[in-house]
Amino acid sequence: MPGSTVKTGRPAPLPATYVTASGLPRYHPVSQALHWVTAALALAVLPLAWVAVSLPPAPAKGTLFVLHKSVGLTILAIVVLRIVWRMVRPAPPDPQTPRLLTLIGRVNHGLLYAIFLIMPVSGYLLSALSGRDTPYFWLFTIPGLTKDEGPQKIAESIHLVGQWFVYALVLLHIAGTVWHLVIRRDGLLERMLPVQDGRGSRAD
């Protein structure tokens, strides 16, 4: 009909940068996906190790260790990808929070990146320096290294001590998230969640 407006085609996709309901800039969807995949893998890798260590020598023990090592190497790859992505796509500006809290958050994030690099590398060296290959989800095998007890013991110590840093840093990260969610109620968590209400307004 004359004068009528006909809408055709699919709706325009949400822009890469958008804001939360409270006006805070969100993380890019790729950053969000990498964050939650890392969190899920971190929550999986620890119980796999606990159960594997507690089992007597049996095929199930070996299976759990293969899963533990494979998940750990996946975390290593994703963290490297996150670092590269952060260089390409910097994080959105920090919200207006007390300077000390902002500093604690940045230090915690930096240390989490570091420990999630150190733990898989030390775990691989712990196994490889005993002369063992490392199967990756039974898809392919990462070759071991020449057996060397001295460096292997160092890798073992780093891996054993590093787990306590993982516990502490993850708990601090979760505690900070809960504090923002329950106490401050400032909508900070929403920055790391996909848009829920169909809004696509671009952040300035």
Side-chain angles (χ1 to χ4, degrees), residues 136-191:
Y136 182 77
F137 288 119
W138 301 277
L139 298 175
F140 57 87
T141 300
I142 302 173
L145 303 172
T146 302
K147 189 172 182 179
D148 194 329
E149 186 174 347
Q152 185 201 19
K153 292 296 184 183
I154 295 174
E156 181 179 22
S157 298
I158 292 173
H159 203 66
L160 291 175
V161 172
Q163 68 176 318
W164 297 104
F165 283 92
V166 173
Y167 303 150
L169 292 170
V170 169
L171 287 175
L172 179 60
H173 189 65
I174 293 173
T177 301
V178 171
W179 187 75
H180 279 285
L181 184 65
V182 177
I183 306 300
R184 283 182 63 91
R185 299 182 181 180
D186 52 12
L188 201 67
L189 177 61
E190 192 181 353
R191 299 194 331 144

Side-chain angles (χ1 to χ4, degrees), residues 4-24:
S4 64
T5 302
V6 179
K7 294 183 180 180
T8 59
R10 297 179 180 178
L14 291 174
T17 303
Y18 49 94
V19 297
T20 67
S22 57
L24 298 176

Side-chain angles (χ1 to χ4, degrees), residues 24-204:
L24 298 176
R26 291 181 189 268
Y27 282 85
H28 189 279
V30 173
S31 300
Q32 294 176 2
L34 292 174
H35 171 273
W36 292 111
V37 170
T38 305
L41 292 174
L43 292 177
V45 74
L46 296 174
L48 286 171
W50 299 335
V51 176
V53 169
S54 67
L55 290 177
K61 187 182 186 78
T63 297
L64 287 176
F65 268 120
V66 169
L67 290 173
H68 172 72
K69 295 173 185 178
S70 299
V71 172
L73 291 173
T74 305
I75 291 174
L76 174 63
I78 290 177
V79 170
V80 171
L81 180 59
R82 288 183 67 175
I83 293 172
V84 173
W85 176 252
R86 179 63 66 88
M87 295 170 63
V88 174
R89 184 84 182 201
D94 288 325
Q96 296 298 320
T97 55
R99 184 175 300 180
L100 179 60
L101 295 179
T102 300
L103 177 61
I104 292 173
R106 289 180 178 178
V107 171
N108 180 252
H109 278 90
L111 291 177
L112 279 171
Y113 276 116
I115 200 66
F116 283 143
L117 293 173
I118 292 170
M119 288 298 285
V121 171
S122 62
Y124 166 73
L125 292 176
L126 170 61
S127 178
L129 288 170
S130 67
R132 293 193 299 268
D133 297 335
T134 301
Y136 182 77
F137 288 119
W138 301 277
L139 298 175
F140 57 87
T141 300
I142 302 173
L145 303 172
T146 302
K147 189 172 182 179
D148 194 329
E149 186 174 347
Q152 185 201 19
K153 292 296 184 183
I154 295 174
E156 181 179 22
S157 298
I158 292 173
H159 203 66
L160 291 175
V161 172
Q163 68 176 318
W164 297 104
F165 283 92
V166 173
Y167 303 150
L169 292 170
V170 169
L171 287 175
L172 179 60
H173 189 65
I174 293 173
T177 301
V178 171
W179 187 75
H180 279 285
L181 184 65
V182 177
I183 306 300
R184 283 182 63 91
R185 299 182 181 180
D186 52 12
L188 201 67
L189 177 61
E190 192 181 353
R191 299 194 331 144
M192 193 53 79
L193 296 174
V195 66
Q196 301 293 312
D197 55 9
R199 290 176 303 105
S201 56
R202 187 176 297 273
D204 295 330

